[in-house]
Amino acid sequence: MSLTFDIGARLLYRDALLLVIDKPPGLPVHPGPRGGETLTDHLDGLRFGLPRRPEAAHRLDRDTSGCLALGRHAKALARLGKLFSGSAVDKTYWALVEGGPNAEAGQINLPLARRSDDPRSWWMKADPAGDPALTHWRVLGRADGRTWLELKPITGRTHQLRVHCAASGWPILGDSIYGSGPRGGSLHLHARTLTIPLYPKRDAITVEAPPPPHIADAVAGMGG
């Protein structure tokens, strides 16, 4: 997949340590075994005079859009890495799911493990012997047999939101791995906000990304 876009136009926040961009759907963050275009190919455009390009401080799936934090140099990446690994960063996602929960809010507390021992595989499964995984959710709207959810992952497991929603009986719309979406379809999962307590003596930094067209269109009929 080849994406032509101006990465500078997708910059949502910038300071001496941190950049936050609105990652387009369909673009992997890091190089994978199959090769192809990645976000890394575009990061030189965000150096802003520094000798090295910024690097991603966390992961987003290829098909997930929205807020992605970048550290501008090694010390910044180390500080951000501690915040993300220590669950100090508050992350909010929007998702459109097939069907939906009966309640208006709740949580999913379901351990996750890899499906395969192959280190190249990122596919996950619910497994009582896996790593703890907790997601809070809240209904934002409903229409036509689908539900618009706000998801807050308290832990940061691979594919956590996708597996948690699917295991609950309401897979994310367009998910070809854990749901019924077609291969190459549009995953309706968007990293809506990041709140990062980066500076001890300042308020936390909160950044919000606008939804991409396929999600904006889907929530428009639900009051979004």
Side-chain angles (χ1 to χ4, degrees):
M1 178 177 189
S2 179
L3 295 175
T4 300
F5 67 97
D6 177 3
I7 195 167
R10 303 190 74 89
L11 183 65
L12 301 172
Y13 177 86
R14 170 185 169 188
D15 69 19
L17 300 182
L18 170 70
L19 305 175
V20 180
I21 64 168
D22 178 12
K23 187 189 86 67
L27 185 68
V29 174
H30 300 291
R34 292 180 295 176
E37 181 183 10
T38 71
L39 181 69
T40 303
D41 298 325
H42 298 267
L43 293 181
D44 278 322
L46 296 176
R47 289 192 296 140
F48 298 111
L50 294 186
R52 296 183 181 179
R53 68 190 181 202
E55 299 291 348
H58 60 117
R59 297 186 70 94
L60 284 181
D61 291 350
R62 170 196 294 265
D63 295 319
T64 302
S65 59
C67 289
L68 180 71
L70 310 173
R72 299 193 65 191
H73 47 70
K75 288 184 179 180
L77 276 170
R79 185 184 298 187
L80 287 165
K82 288 181 180 179
L83 293 173
F84 276 96
S85 64
S87 300
V89 177
D90 183 55
K91 295 172 282 187
T92 301
Y93 289 75
W94 281 1
L96 272 293
V97 300
E98 301 174 21
N102 294 323
E104 294 301 305
Q107 66 178 33
I108 306 166
N109 191 350
L110 191 63
L112 302 178
R114 287 181 184 269
R115 282 188 187 177
S116 168
D117 292 332
D118 185 343
R120 296 172 297 177
S121 173
W122 290 100
W123 291 16
M124 305 295 286
K125 63 180 180 180
D127 186 340
D131 294 320
L134 176 64
T135 300
H136 293 169
W137 59 266
R138 179 169 68 95
V139 172
L140 299 178
R142 302 178 192 266
D144 302 323
R146 297 172 178 174
T147 304
W148 172 21
L149 293 178
E150 176 188 88
L151 302 173
K152 288 183 173 286
I154 307 305
T155 50
R157 309 302 177 198
T158 300
H159 289 181
Q160 175 175 317
L161 300 180
R162 297 168 67 175
V163 178
H164 272 180
C165 287
S168 299
W170 15 278
I172 295 175
L173 190 65
D175 193 337
S176 61
I177 297 176
Y178 305 103
S180 58
R183 187 174 181 85
S186 296
L187 181 69
H188 287 61
L189 180 63
H190 176 64
R192 176 63 167 168
T193 63
L194 283 177
T195 299
I196 306 172
L198 185 58
Y199 301 103
K201 296 183 180 180
R202 302 184 203 171
D203 292 340
I205 298 160
T206 297
V207 185
E208 182 177 279
H214 70 284
I215 293 180
D217 291 345
V219 304
M222 301 181 183

